[in-house]
Amino acid sequence: MTHHTLREPATGGPASDGSVLRARTEAAIPSAGGIAGKALLNPEMASQSFDMRGHGVFERILDVPAFKGAYAMVLGSVTEYSRATDKPVMGDAVVTLHNLVSMDRGQVGVRVGVNWHEDLDIRVTLLWFIT
């Protein structure tokens, strides 16, 4: 897909005016949230997987009792999996993790996209850092 055919998701309009796209020059600023922008040395990690079914773009709130809350760093992956073998599979559907949001009360919000015409078995695996 060339740049002149890209579309803005919200409006459906062109992603640019046809001019050359340039990187923005503003500096990234360390976040003051949670750990006051400090680097973590040797943080402890934890992980948990969640199985679900769905297709299209859908959202789920995952309950993670050991999760520390909205300021914890959380990473995630998503895959189609086989119930018969309990293993990930490379099926024909395109499966993507759109958004991952750490929340208070031991929860993580996920938005998953499954480009398929019917529900598939999906596994989301979270990895988070305990500060």
Side-chain angles (χ1 to χ4, degrees):
M1 179 179 290
T2 60
H3 284 291
H4 67 275
T5 60
L6 294 175
R7 299 279 178 207
E8 290 288 344
T11 65
S16 76
D17 61 4
S19 61
V20 176
L21 297 176
R22 299 198 193 315
R24 297 181 70 166
T25 58
E26 294 104 19
I29 301 168
S31 171
I35 57 171
K38 296 179 184 176
L40 296 176
L41 301 176
N42 300 319
E44 293 183 47
M45 294 182 289
S47 68
Q48 187 171 357
S49 293
F50 298 85
D51 296 339
M52 58 194 74
R53 287 184 58 79
H55 73 283
V57 176
F58 59 92
E59 297 177 4
R60 298 285 191 275
I61 301 295
L62 309 177
D63 290 316
V64 189
F67 192 70
K68 296 292 183 181
Y71 293 113
M73 183 197 325
V74 61
L75 307 171
S77 68
V78 63
T79 185
E80 188 177 345
Y81 82 100
S82 165
R83 285 188 192 191
T85 64
D86 199 37
K87 292 181 181 179
V89 296
M90 182 70 73
D92 290 334
V94 175
V95 181
T96 53
L97 182 59
H98 290 253
N99 297 83
L100 185 64
V101 179
S102 54
M103 304 167 76
D104 288 326
R105 299 177 311 280
Q107 295 180 321
V108 175
V110 296
R111 181 176 296 139
V112 175
V114 178
N115 190 4
W116 202 246
H117 58 278
E118 61 186 18
D119 286 354
L120 296 178
D121 293 314
I122 303 300
R123 177 168 288 154
V124 173
T125 300
L126 302 178
L127 170 69
W128 66 92
F129 297 88
I130 302 168
T131 58

